[in-house]
Amino acid sequence: MTTNDLADDVTSAHNVAKLEANLARVEELTQRLLTALGQARPIAPPLQGPSHDLYVKAATAYMTEMVNNPAKLIEHQLEFWGKSVKHYVEAQHLLAQGKLEPPTDETPKDRRFAHELWDTNPYFNFIKQQYLMNAAAVQQAVEDIEDLDSEEKKRLRYFSQQLVDMMSPTNFLPTNPEALALAAETDGESLVAGLENLVADLEANDGDLVVTLADKKAFKLGENLATTPGSVVFRNHMFELIQYAPTTEKVYSTPLIIFPPWINKFYILDLKPQNSLIKWAVEQGYTVFIVSWVNPDAGYRDTSMSDYIEDGYLIAIDEVKKICGVKKVNAVGYCIAGTTLSLTLSLMKQRKDTSVNAATFFTTLTDFSDRGEVGVFLQDDFVDGIEAEVTENGILDSFFMSRTFSYLRANDLIYGPAIKSYMMGKAPPAFDLLYWNGDGTNLPACMAIEYLRGLCQDDKFATDGFEVCGTTVHIKDVTVPLCAIACETDHIAAWKSSYTGVQKMGAKDKTFILSESGHIAGIVNPPSKKKYGHYTNPEMGLTVDDWYDAAEKHEGSWWPRWDAWLSQKSGKKVPAREPGDADHPVLAPAPGTYVVTN
């Protein structure tokens, strides 16, 4: 026996031992997987997808179109068949010639297929091309359906695309060359690690599959996230009020209070120091307060929009006035908190309460006549399911909200991360934004249905008026000076609808800024990054398209432009204020307790 033979035997024994160890791990993980899946909550069909009525209507309309206009449909079918057959023949011809190379590839570029084997390997290239041809055929078939109203067509287009995205060959191990190559390179270790990641996610979420997007061990609130110095100076059953420590000798006399959405936690505006809007605002000389909402449990079942206004907004504003010894504050509302701020301002107008000097709205909808991309989830089939869910449990669990928003960007927030974690066994990245995205909150039953029915579906605030706090409030009664920032690619609060809502407000002093990027990145856009630009146009009487066409493009963040607007409405400079006063002792250091313990 030679030295090489001995080395081969050792290597072979090592590989066998490694394989046996991996098989033992797989067996153990499989048992844990089955146990975790058995704990999964039952999810009502209305929360799983659109009503079957949508597909029945689509099928009926398609058949009607086939009868009335067969030539068009046959033409599209023949085009699809022709491309598929031509591709198959070209691939077979190359193989018959002994050439292991793909045929001509005229399919569009798609970042899901960035790995080189999708272009160079004939097997994987064939699968990719056929998938993209099939996807285009499905999209064309949907567009061919004409006997549907615009809302039904939008929903059919969206949910058909969801099915197409789900069936991408990248989502399946046998047809994902990158995952297969890694499995071979690691002797299957990547697949075992992926199974461990899958089991860990299922166990962490009681059997519900929620892909971990960020390394949860990499962040801790108050240590490397939400680190701007400040203190909790007031607390009730709805919120903690945080006042931030000044960093300038003097500050503007009018304090600034920020109302973040209670669909998520407030520290999206205070992630790392480099991208913290709160830290930046403090550095500009503002006395900054923020509301940290309680994360409700079933005991908050009957908490309504009126409670958020009376026990949230109005009390918070009053406490800020007391702490700072002023008669007026400036207020910011982000997303649903901006919607509710507009309701509050209309109510204050009725009550002759002038406590808010000026208001800022971040990605806020007040006119829901066009609900944008998220509108596919706001029809009766889904909302009926949500109403049944919250009636039974008292809350809309954060699981449902997170899943809904993730499916609006499924390739980025579901399939892509799942491939990396479960097929390739990679650990999630230490990404602050994605960590925040996974730190969800619940919604009270009463409030959720009021919002979905009265505002989103019935658009009452922008039309007949919305009932809240024992009265009816109207959008025209939002009359304080205002600045609204919308985001160009926002998939949650469509910027055109945001603009339309601002147009309907009664304020004479209106500023509208359109930031590039989306719902989060367009807002959390510090000047230091010099990343996304923004558009302005002072003519608010124009149609939304005319406003955009005539708008001036500016490089860089909108933050300094907002500062220039806000500073003019914040009064003279006064000595800096430390958090709290004799009647508002420090209850806890920022970021407080509600954001951590709930």
Side-chain angles (χ1 to χ4, degrees):
M1 180 177 287
T2 66
T3 302
N4 288 337
D5 290 336
L6 287 172
D8 289 343
D9 287 345
V10 171
T11 301
S12 177
H14 173 75
N15 289 341
V16 170
K18 188 174 182 180
L19 176 62
E20 289 176 346
N22 281 338
L23 289 174
R25 288 168 65 193
V26 168
E27 183 176 352
E28 175 200 349
L29 288 167
T30 301
Q31 292 301 317
R32 288 171 55 192
L33 175 68
L34 294 174
T35 300
L37 288 172
Q39 297 172 348
R41 79 186 81 188
I43 299 177
L47 296 177
Q48 297 277 36
S51 165
H52 293 304
D53 291 346
L54 176 65
Y55 298 113
V56 170
K57 285 184 180 180
T60 302
Y62 190 85
M63 294 302 296
T64 301
E65 184 70 14
M66 182 178 291
V67 170
N68 294 335
N69 194 0
K72 182 179 73 172
L73 297 182
I74 291 173
E75 178 187 353
H76 290 157
Q77 285 293 320
L78 289 175
E79 181 183 3
F80 166 63
W81 293 339
K83 286 181 179 179
S84 298
V85 172
K86 178 175 179 289
H87 176 224
Y88 175 79
V89 169
E90 289 177 349
Q92 288 286 8
H93 180 66
L94 287 169
L95 287 174
Q97 293 180 319
K99 296 180 179 179
L100 293 176
E101 59 186 61
T104 302
D105 188 348
E106 297 179 352
T107 56
K109 292 294 181 183
D110 188 316
R111 57 195 177 96
R112 290 175 294 179
F113 303 104
H115 193 274
E116 62 179 8
L117 287 177
W118 289 114
D119 295 324
T120 60
N121 183 284
Y123 168 71
F124 291 115
N125 181 264
F126 183 83
I127 291 171
K128 180 196 78 168
Q129 288 204 49
Q130 285 296 323
Y131 167 75
L132 291 174
M133 290 177 191
N134 293 342
V138 171
Q139 293 162 353
Q140 184 63 61
V142 170
E143 296 308 316
D144 284 342
I145 299 175
E146 296 183 356
D147 193 21
L148 291 176
D149 64 37
S150 60
E151 198 61 41
E152 290 171 333
K153 186 69 169 284
K154 182 190 297 184
R155 300 188 84 212
L156 182 64
R157 187 181 292 121
Y158 171 81
F159 289 110
S160 298
Q161 187 61 47
Q162 287 293 313
L163 294 173
V164 168
D165 290 342
M166 182 175 66
M167 297 308 296
S168 169
T170 54
N171 296 338
F172 303 92
L173 180 62
T175 52
N176 187 315
E178 188 174 6
L180 288 171
L182 185 61
E185 180 184 328
T186 62
D187 296 321
E189 185 69 24
S190 61
L191 297 180
V192 178
L195 182 56
E196 288 180 332
N197 291 341
L198 172 61
V199 171
D201 281 350
L202 287 168
E203 290 177 340
N205 295 282
D206 298 322
D208 293 324
L209 182 55
V210 179
V211 185
T212 297
L213 299 179
D215 182 358
K216 295 180 179 179
K217 297 179 181 178
F219 299 103
K220 188 171 182 179
L221 295 183
E223 292 186 6
N224 56 3
L225 287 181
T227 60
T228 301
S231 304
V232 176
V233 293
F234 177 84
R235 179 188 295 129
N236 68 5
H237 66 291
M238 293 295 294
F239 69 93
E240 287 185 329
L241 181 65
I242 299 171
Q243 181 180 358
Y244 290 94
T247 58
T248 56
E249 290 186 3
K250 291 195 172 184
V251 295
Y252 292 104
S253 58
T254 305
L256 178 67
I257 180 170
I258 302 173
F259 294 97
W262 51 90
I263 290 176
N264 298 102
K265 295 184 178 179
F266 81 87
Y267 64 90
I268 185 59
L269 299 176
D270 190 30
L271 292 171
K272 293 178 294 191
Q274 304 94 298
N275 58 5
S276 170
L277 177 66
I278 291 171
K279 180 178 183 292
W280 179 85
V282 170
E283 291 171 346
Q284 309 316 304
Y286 297 99
T287 302
V288 179
F289 294 79
I290 197 165
V291 164
S292 175
W293 299 104
V294 71
N295 186 6
D297 56 23
Y300 284 78
R301 169 188 298 274
D302 297 323
T303 300
S304 65
M305 292 293 288
S306 296
D307 294 314
Y308 273 89
I309 292 174
E310 295 280 15
D311 296 342
Y313 285 73
L314 295 178
I315 286 181
I317 290 169
D318 192 50
E319 296 303 323
V320 170
K321 286 164 53 182
K322 291 176 183 176
I323 292 170
C324 296
V326 296
K327 294 182 178 180
K328 291 179 179 288
V329 305
N330 290 326
V332 177
Y334 191 171
C335 190
I336 188 176
T339 306
T340 311
L341 176 59
S342 67
L343 302 177
T344 304
L345 292 171
S346 180
L347 177 68
M348 294 172 78
K349 174 81 170 180
Q350 287 189 24
R351 294 181 177 180
K352 297 182 170 50
D353 183 344
T354 59
S355 297
V356 175
N357 182 58
T360 301
F361 301 99
F362 294 167
T363 63
T364 293
L365 293 182
T366 49
D367 180 336
F368 289 85
S369 55
D370 181 357
R371 298 182 289 270
E373 290 183 59
V374 78
V376 298
F377 293 105
L378 294 173
Q379 299 301 309
D380 276 339
D381 48 6
F382 276 106
V383 177
D384 288 348
I386 290 172
E387 186 162 15
E389 169 73 19
V390 300
T391 299
E392 179 178 353
N393 297 304
I395 56 171
L396 180 61
D397 191 282
S398 61
F399 166 77
F400 295 107
M401 295 299 298
S402 175
R403 189 175 68 162
T404 297
F405 290 135
S406 292
Y407 269 110
L408 290 172
R409 291 292 181 268
N411 287 326
D412 295 329
L413 295 177
I414 297 178
Y415 302 127
I419 290 168
K420 288 183 172 64
S421 182
Y422 306 150
M423 280 193 209
M424 306 182 73
K426 294 184 177 180
F431 189 1
D432 57 351
L433 179 58
L434 291 180
Y435 176 87
W436 166 86
N437 188 71
D439 191 11
T441 56
N442 307 319
L443 298 181
C446 180
M447 170 266 142
I449 296 306
E450 284 181 315
Y451 176 74
L452 292 172
R453 295 290 193 199
L455 291 170
C456 295
Q457 285 193 317
D458 296 340
D459 195 22
K460 287 184 176 180
F461 185 55
T463 54
D464 300 331
F466 182 73
E467 294 183 11
V468 70
C469 301
T471 188
T472 302
V473 295
H474 300 84
I475 196 170
K476 64 180 177 59
D477 290 330
V478 180
T479 57
V480 302
L482 62 90
C483 178
I485 297 90
C487 298
E488 192 171 14
T489 58
D490 195 330
H491 60 292
I492 295 173
W495 81 264
K496 293 184 178 182
S497 297
S498 178
Y499 175 86
T500 303
V502 172
Q503 278 190 315
K504 293 182 178 181
M505 293 178 180
K508 294 180 181 179
D509 182 350
K510 299 178 183 178
T511 297
F512 189 83
I513 300 171
L514 178 62
S515 175
E516 292 184 314
S517 195
H519 192 72
I520 301 299
I523 296 298
V524 184
N525 181 28
S528 59
K529 284 192 174 181
K530 299 180 181 178
K531 194 169 185 180
Y532 301 117
H534 60 282
Y535 300 85
T536 60
N537 185 343
E539 298 298 327
M540 292 297 297
L542 301 174
T543 66
V544 64
D545 291 328
D546 288 344
W547 183 95
Y548 184 80
D549 290 341
E552 181 179 359
K553 171 73 181 293
H554 307 276
E555 297 299 322
S557 172
W558 55 268
W559 291 12
R561 187 172 303 278
W562 177 55
D563 174 40
W565 176 87
L566 185 62
S567 63
Q568 296 300 309
K569 293 170 171 56
S570 297
K572 62 182 182 179
K573 291 290 186 75
V574 299
R577 307 172 175 111
E578 293 299 325
D581 64 10
D583 296 323
H584 297 81
V586 171
L587 303 177
T593 62
Y594 279 6
V595 73
V596 176
T597 58
N598 292 277

